[in-house]
Amino acid sequence: MPILKRTNIAIDLGTANTLIFKEGEGVVLNSPSVIALRSDRGRIEVVALGKAAESMLGKTPANISAIRPLKDGVIADFKATELMLTGFIKEVTGGRWLRSAPNILICVPVQATQVERRAIKEAAQSAGAKAVALIDEPVAAAFGANLDIDEPKGSMVVDIGGGTTEIGILSLGGLVYSSSLKVAGNVLDDAIINFIRRDRGILIGERQAERIKLTVGSVHPGASSSSMNIKGLEAASGLPRNQVVSTEDVYNATVEPVNAILRAVSSALEAAPPDISSDVLRDGMVLTGGGALLHGLPQRISEFTGVPCRAADDPLDCVVMGGGKILSEMKMKNFQKVSER
Ligand code: ADP
Ligand code: MG
């Protein structure tokens, strides 16, 4: 019988983006976590995945739905998640995976319940995995950010994604403290939508709100200001109107959710055992995930907590890169053992 080399892959199944790391190759997929499905007399068919599906969000006819199957880091729609995972895995293994089904390591939010963990595993298994292992996201993020977490020394990572902010304090390769809050990129976008509606009487959508955040947004009160023109519908008349949105507007709109993140970071520092937190107070914390790129956030966190804070290099890739590193250190035996848990 020919010996088949089994493919090992690590997946960062994020609320906003899914990334896949293939052993020996690196990051081979980076796509929005979106799928478009057509239902025809009870039959469900995949119309588009990733970027193509994302461009259909909010613009589909009655028989097609473009959806984000994950919400707040957990599976909101099981069937859609399974179909999306299957599609992505096929893309990176060239569809030949039926003969040599991959071992899959999936990074999951720390607060995911046993039921949710099982759902993620089952989705991967139905997507064709040979064995599935799960790893806590902050551990993967810290590995991917190149923190030396295997030392007997405290280190801290804050991963701010689309749906959740995950905080981890680690030592000797494991979590000493972790917490998670459902305040992250999407909540900031919603806050911008609400602000523009309340303050300007104009309705905008999620994608426009995100664009405002990325273009002129800052969460630091002292940031240099810029502004941009946006188009939206006037709530009162329903007519299109132009409007200028500035850096201060975004700052004011997002004060509350940003404060929630600041308070969670402070609580984590207070909750960690003193010997570990003193390492963190000295060496600082690292931000990962797309939220690490929020203008002014590292500075804001370090001013609020008095602890040094910096964004990781390539923060959007940290979780999957860490997953990839863990994958290469995992022996097959461990894979089986972990997957049986
Ligand atoms: P997830 O792990 O939930 O899939 P990601 O780590 O991929 O999330 O981050 C996605 C979030 O990061 C989105 O809310 C997006 O708006 C935000 N984001 C991405 N790039 C930037 C940026 N340059 N500035 C601010 N926020 C960003
Ligand atoms: Mg993430």
Side-chain angles (χ1 to χ4, degrees):
M1 206 173 93
I3 297 169
L4 291 171
K5 172 139 179 36
R6 197 167 296 293
T7 329
N8 289 329
I9 61 177
I11 304 182
D12 169 9
L13 185 61
T15 306
N17 297 298
T18 298
L19 287 85
I20 301 186
F21 182 103
K22 197 169 172 187
E23 202 175 10
E25 290 186 33
V27 180
V28 290
L29 182 132
N30 182 349
S31 287
S33 304
V34 188
I35 186 168
L37 301 168
R38 176 188 292 121
S39 53
D40 186 16
R41 278 169 265 137
R43 273 198 35 222
I44 293 177
E45 185 195 342
V46 178
V47 177
L49 269 178
K51 263 217 145 7
E54 189 187 38
S55 66
M56 299 177 185
L57 281 172
K59 298 179 184 170
T60 49
N63 62 333
I64 297 180
S65 55
I67 50 171
R68 295 187 177 277
L70 295 129
K71 200 169 159 22
D72 303 332
V74 298
I75 294 180
D77 182 328
F78 185 82
K79 188 70 196 161
T81 304
E82 186 189 316
L83 288 169
M84 186 178 77
L85 260 184
T86 308
F88 285 153
I89 293 169
K90 246 189 202 157
E91 258 177 51
V92 304
T93 53
R96 283 174 284 110
W97 48 278
L98 276 179
R99 282 198 307 144
S100 58
N103 288 319
I104 304 184
L105 178 69
I106 303 187
C107 311
V108 291
V110 272
Q111 95 291 358
T113 62
Q114 287 306 321
V115 173
E116 287 161 349
R117 282 165 199 264
R118 204 171 314 126
I120 289 174
K121 261 191 182 172
E122 279 171 16
Q125 259 145 7
S126 327
K130 171 79 167 60
V132 187
L134 304 182
I135 178 100
D136 285 323
E137 242 161 33
V139 178
F143 252 112
N146 294 319
L147 301 181
D148 44 354
I149 61 169
D150 283 332
E151 304 295 314
K153 179 172 120 8
S155 50
M156 178 166 173
V157 63
V158 181
D159 182 88
I160 305 167
T164 55
T165 293
E166 310 241 337
I167 303 176
I169 296 181
L170 305 98
S171 179
L172 288 169
L175 284 167
V176 174
Y177 171 91
S178 69
S179 68
S180 164
L181 67 157
K182 292 180 178 176
V183 178
N186 297 344
V187 169
L188 299 187
D189 299 344
D190 290 344
I192 293 171
I193 293 175
N194 292 337
F195 177 87
I196 307 260
R197 193 187 52 227
R198 266 196 334 261
D199 199 72
R200 309 287 152 84
I202 290 180
L203 309 175
I204 58 166
E206 281 167 24
R207 303 196 69 187
Q208 175 135 236
E210 185 183 28
R211 205 160 51 236
I212 294 170
K213 177 179 75 178
L214 305 193
T215 313
V216 298
S218 178
V219 299
H220 194 279
S224 63
S225 187
S226 58
S227 60
M228 67 188 279
N229 284 305
I230 60 153
K231 242 195 180 73
L233 289 181
E234 190 172 48
S237 64
L239 296 172
R241 244 182 60 190
N242 292 316
Q243 179 63 225
V244 175
V245 179
S246 70
T247 303
E248 288 81 18
D249 292 333
V250 180
Y251 174 79
N252 291 328
T254 56
V255 159
E256 241 174 75
V258 168
N259 280 343
I261 295 174
L262 295 174
R263 282 194 302 270
V265 170
S266 287
S267 307
L269 288 164
E270 282 164 25
D275 285 336
I276 286 180
S277 60
S278 67
D279 293 335
V280 176
L281 301 187
R282 187 190 59 231
D283 299 341
M285 71 189 93
V286 172
L287 307 185
T288 63
L293 295 168
L294 264 176
H295 189 267
L297 187 61
Q299 192 187 350
R300 187 84 198 284
I301 291 180
S302 86
E303 284 171 10
F304 185 84
T305 59
V307 177
C309 175
R310 66 177 174 90
D313 297 336
D314 304 319
L316 285 153
D317 295 354
C318 284
V319 169
V320 84
M321 290 299 289
K325 280 189 193 173
I326 294 163
L327 199 61
S328 60
E329 285 175 15
M330 266 170 94
K331 302 280 173 287
M332 191 51 211
K333 210 167 74 230
N334 291 340
F335 224 113
Q336 300 295 13
K337 237 196 299 192
V338 181
S339 67
E340 279 155 16
R341 278 220 297 251

